[in-house]
Amino acid sequence: MSRLTSSPPPRHSFHIITISSITFKMRIEQFCQVACRVTLDAESARSFKEKIDDQYRVNMILDNLPVAVLSQSQFYEHGFQVGFKGREDEYFINNHLSFKVKYHEDPVTDSARIVGFEVIPISINHKYENWDGNNTQLTTCNSKTQNNAAQERISAGEEIVFTYDVSFESSQIKWASRWDTYLLMNDNQIHWFSIINSLIIVLFLSGMVAMIMMRTLYKDIASYNQLDTQDEAFEETGWKLVHGDVFRPPSNYSLLCVYAGTGIQVLGMTLATMIFALLGFLSPANRGGLMTAMVLLWVFTGLFAGYSSARLYKMFKGTQWKRVTLRTAFTFPAILFTIFFVLNALIWCEKSSGAVPFGTMFTLMFLWFGISVPLVFIGSYLGFRKPAIEDPIKTNKIPRQIPLRAWYTKPIFCILIGGILPFGAVFIELFFMLTSIWLNQFYYMFGFLFIVFVILIITCAEITIVLCYFQLCSEDYNWWWRSYLTAGSSALYLFLYSGFYFFTKLEITKLVSGILYFGYMLIGSYTFFVLTGSTGFYGCLWFVRKIYSSVKID
């Protein structure tokens, strides 16, 4: 015997898992079983109509498998709609559920395991002569009248009878592979198109970097190293001309160290999460497992955040390492926690059961203060004890004046241009991720996602290196913050795309729901900014140290 856990139409924005009154007996089919009978009052009728307008869906779970509706494209969709809207503003409720349970039979033991759970929702205006509880004989429940029965309208004072059918179907799908059908995406060719599109971008940038490193720089370094007289040295132009200022610490370099270290933490968390998912440790059967893994990995990668920020801070010859460590431990998570707390407060105000309870909030605070912060301090202590990274070229005491630049070399223009290609490498996969989050689709394509993630990291580093080289050639040595913002600006395009997706794909009309959407997308975009910005910065740091350590400076 199997019992369903279901998520009935919620009162507000989220749902809670409860035990359903529907009972299945393994391989025993049932036809038109009465679940319950209710009479709608004015408030209940209005609530159902609002949920239909907002496209609410009912979710049920059987043996840890979510119920799914087989769409016209032969792919599964999460749950089923509460009802639908007809002509002349009439609303109808899906009060009859036709379940199909797929099972795989063991030929040796004759036992069976559930490998599929589908449903077809129908609206039927049930009729009966005498009410006898669950044993009531409904005149609208037979093969002839069920398909031609009138639909159940939603209105105050209307009596609604909820019923269900259960059928069982033998399947060749084994229990270990039962999630494969759920996790099929709409079209794998589109994912491969995304990969090819991203690879073209990477190859283009790689070609430019190779041209710079192997042709331009090789010739420049060879010619500069052949200079024998001081008169010839005065004729230097291009990137070597700013060698005395290129390693000058930027303004507010402590904040740069904080964000660079935080980016390493986010990078480590993301990479470890994807590797665990690829290895099969994050099963979709474990609801919430992915988010739990991300939080725990972020906490434990605080060690790398403290270490990298301290190493960079010491390279700038900073002395207040404890202050930088505190900012590393609190800046990024404090901003995220503040946004999350405000969004959760809105859910509380809506009296939704989907609000994060106080116990969970306390657990997150404990993980932050009890584990992440100490690990950041340990990493910072270890990093600051290391010898400082020496600059390959000494910095002049007096800063060099930066010449006037053309409009296309201005920082704002270059920063905005630099973020287009990293975003272009991921936007197709981003569409599927947004669809899985907001439009009841399954997403578990971690193989594709990992490839796109690697391409994103390479693209961020390469586009920053290319633009940094052009900047240095124009005798502008303020590359530190600019390299971070060049790759990080892709987060701006991500947030703008989320707004485009909101107005073109979603039909959210309530203010609170809209605030929740943009609030969570703001969290995602901010995290994306820290990740891509740090990747571009460290790639550019390697490049600048590499080229200036290869020339002879008189």
Side-chain angles (χ1 to χ4, degrees), residues 12 60 189 213 308 318 331 340 346 350 414 440 456 542:
H12 290 285
M60 292 184 172
Q189 292 182 355
M213 297 294 290
S308 55
T331 300
F340 177 75
L346 291 175
E350 290 290 308
C414 293
N440 308 294
L456 171 66
W542 170 84

Side-chain angles (χ1 to χ4, degrees), residues 230-409:
Q230 188 174 4
D231 292 337
E232 289 176 320
F234 283 123
E235 297 178 1
E236 296 172 358
T237 58
W239 58 272
K240 193 192 175 202
L241 197 61
V242 296
H243 64 82
D245 298 277
V246 73
F247 291 104
R248 186 180 305 280
S251 59
N252 203 1
Y253 61 86
S254 61
L255 183 62
L256 178 62
C257 297
V258 169
Y259 271 92
T262 303
I264 294 297
Q265 183 179 11
V266 176
L267 177 63
M269 174 203 70
T270 308
L271 187 61
T273 302
M274 290 189 180
I275 291 175
F276 281 128
L278 286 173
L279 295 176
F281 290 110
L282 299 179
S283 171
N286 181 16
R287 294 182 300 275
L290 179 63
M291 185 59 64
T292 303
M294 292 180 65
V295 172
L296 292 178
L297 288 171
W298 177 83
V299 168
F300 289 110
T301 50
L303 184 71
F304 302 104
Y307 181 84
S308 55
S309 63
R311 290 283 285 161
L312 190 61
Y313 184 67
K314 193 172 184 179
M315 186 186 75
F316 290 133
K317 297 179 175 56
T319 56
Q320 298 178 338
W321 70 275
K322 294 181 180 178
R323 181 178 179 182
V324 172
T325 303
L326 282 173
R327 296 177 72 180
T328 304
F330 287 98
T331 300
F332 177 76
I335 294 175
L336 256 62
F337 187 83
T338 300
I339 299 175
F340 177 75
F341 183 82
V342 172
L343 297 178
N344 200 55
L346 291 175
I347 302 174
W348 272 332
C349 293
E350 290 290 308
K351 299 179 181 179
S352 171
S353 58
V356 177
F358 176 77
T360 304
M361 298 286 284
F362 178 80
T363 302
L364 293 175
M365 295 290 289
F366 172 77
L367 292 174
W368 179 13
F369 289 95
I371 300 179
S372 179
V373 173
L375 286 177
V376 172
F377 267 91
I378 293 174
S380 184
Y381 174 76
L382 295 176
F384 210 75
R385 287 189 61 186
K386 289 281 187 177
I389 302 174
E390 297 294 336
D391 296 332
I393 298 177
K394 292 184 179 180
T395 302
N396 296 333
K397 294 183 179 180
I398 300 176
R400 178 186 178 84
Q401 185 176 2
I402 301 175
L404 294 176
R405 294 161 293 184
W407 64 270
Y408 53 82
T409 61

Side-chain angles (χ1 to χ4, degrees), residues 414 417-418 462-472 486:
C414 293
I417 289 296
E462 289 183 342
I463 188 63
T464 308
I465 289 173
V466 171
L467 294 180
C468 179
Y469 173 74
F470 292 146
Q471 177 187 352
L472 295 176
T486 296

Side-chain angles (χ1 to χ4, degrees), residues 460 483-485 487-490 528-538:
C460 288
S483 64
Y484 196 102
L485 297 175
S489 64
S490 57
F528 193 74
F529 164 76
V530 174
L531 170 65
T532 55
S534 298
T535 303
F537 169 76
Y538 277 107

